[in-house]
Amino acid sequence: MAVQEMSRGTHTTACACEECAREGHRRAVAAFLEKRDAFAAGQGVPAAVAHSLGASRQWVSDELALSARTVADRGREAGSSWLYVFSRRAVLAVWIAAGVLLLVQVAAALGTGWSAARTAGLLAALLLAGLLTVAARAQSLRGGLLAPLVGEDNRLSTSKAVPTAWVVLTSFATLLPALRLAASAPGPERQALYAGLALDRALPLLSVVVLTSGVAVLVRRVVCVRIMSQRLQKLPADRPRGADLLTDDAGRGSFPDAQYVLVSTAVLAYAAASLARFPDRLPQLPWALALLMALSAAVYLAAKYAEGSRPLVLSVVRRREPGDLDAAVRTGDDIEIRGVGFVPPGAQTPEMLARLVVRIGAVHVHVPLVPVPGGFTNPSDTVLTVPVPAEVEPGRTEIQVVTAAGVESNRCTIDVAE
């Protein structure tokens, strides 16, 4: 207990370790939830603004937006700290895997004796682990071994993870016969090693490597083009998570991603088993499995072409409270904007919701956060409620929504009465 107290005492308010970063994020989240639920119950609103529904709503929204910004900052700090710690643990895991391989080789050699193939396998594992360690050290602040798999949105990329797994397996499978060739003398053994690297044997494997790598390049191009043309909304995450490989940006399960990972894992396991059975040659994949990988990649790529859409305003109506009379839209009234795509995937956090803006004529109106126990009633993906400010001139006025991703919707015209 004394040691634990001493270790805790070494942490200061400026400490950036993983434990302090996670604790700071937890406290920020707890403070935000407490404040949101208090406002939802009508508590904590100053008397100076409590008499006005619009003023109190705006004050509550601003307070929640500031608190949400603190939560997001603490979340990003925790994510950066997690990446740094993961980079070290990933390197340790690679060397532990090499040690496990050594133990397996020694155990297998007890009955049959040590062989040149086992030596080549151990040296290949050590060489690959060394290369991965150097690469991880160069990107320690971005997650080490995880860095090549992280997309521009700070999520694990399925399109990058799949070809990376195939490249690692192919590299290890190439090192095995290469090391044996370096130590073998001219003769039948060397000829057999050369035959194991023949193109006709390796063509299905090479086709899969080329296919998955090409899909990664093409997906990156498709995403960039669709973002630039405002047909796809992308928002960054706090940190990468393993679930990113199987879900969309909103955290929902994604069939195209899941089937691509599942099929790739199954075919990769077949290739690894083939390599373990015949370590003197590249894994020989049946063309049926290569075709299965091609079909899975085609489904994944087609889904990337189809996903995403721009926000669309369908209609704008005056919001009427119970007991009010029907009337035209005037300054000071609340209007209800109905449509789709106002909250893109990944923008469900309070900080992102607070970034929603409605352009009414030349006036930019931030969409107020309206809390309820457990969440918010405004904004939502299909309905936004905002007040018409006094600065809006009477007459025909255009309404346009700007999402948290910076994508603009279509324009909808309304009449503002005097």
Side-chain angles (χ1 to χ4, degrees), residues 7-185:
S7 64
R8 292 176 183 175
T10 59
H11 297 280
T12 63
T13 56
C15 183
C17 69
E18 182 190 17
E19 181 182 351
C20 292
R22 293 175 61 183
E23 180 63 24
H25 183 239
R26 282 195 295 265
R27 291 180 179 179
V29 171
F32 173 82
L33 294 179
E34 182 181 359
K35 182 177 293 187
R36 183 199 63 191
D37 293 341
F39 288 153
Q43 303 172 358
V45 181
V49 297
H51 66 280
S52 172
L53 177 61
S56 61
R57 182 177 59 185
Q58 188 61 52
W59 187 89
V60 167
S61 179
D62 292 342
E63 287 295 313
L64 289 176
L66 291 175
S67 183
R69 192 175 304 167
T70 302
V71 172
D73 292 340
R74 299 292 85 78
R76 283 187 283 268
E77 291 174 2
S80 300
S81 176
W82 180 87
L83 285 176
Y84 180 73
V85 173
F86 179 86
S87 65
R88 293 188 172 186
R89 294 177 180 175
V91 172
L92 179 61
V94 168
W95 287 103
I96 290 176
V100 171
L101 177 62
L102 173 61
L103 295 178
V104 172
Q105 295 280 38
V106 171
L110 293 179
T112 59
W114 195 262
S115 62
R118 291 191 173 92
T119 302
L122 182 59
L123 291 178
L126 294 177
L127 181 58
L128 188 60
L131 293 176
L132 292 177
T133 300
V134 173
R137 293 295 184 184
Q139 295 288 332
S140 59
L141 297 180
R142 293 181 55 86
L145 297 179
L146 202 64
L149 310 182
V150 179
E152 298 296 332
D153 57 354
N154 204 31
R155 293 181 177 87
L156 282 181
S157 172
T158 305
S159 62
K160 293 181 179 180
V162 170
T164 299
W166 280 104
V167 168
V168 171
L169 177 68
T170 305
S171 300
F172 182 74
T174 305
L175 284 174
L176 286 176
L179 293 175
R180 293 188 61 184
L181 279 171
S184 64

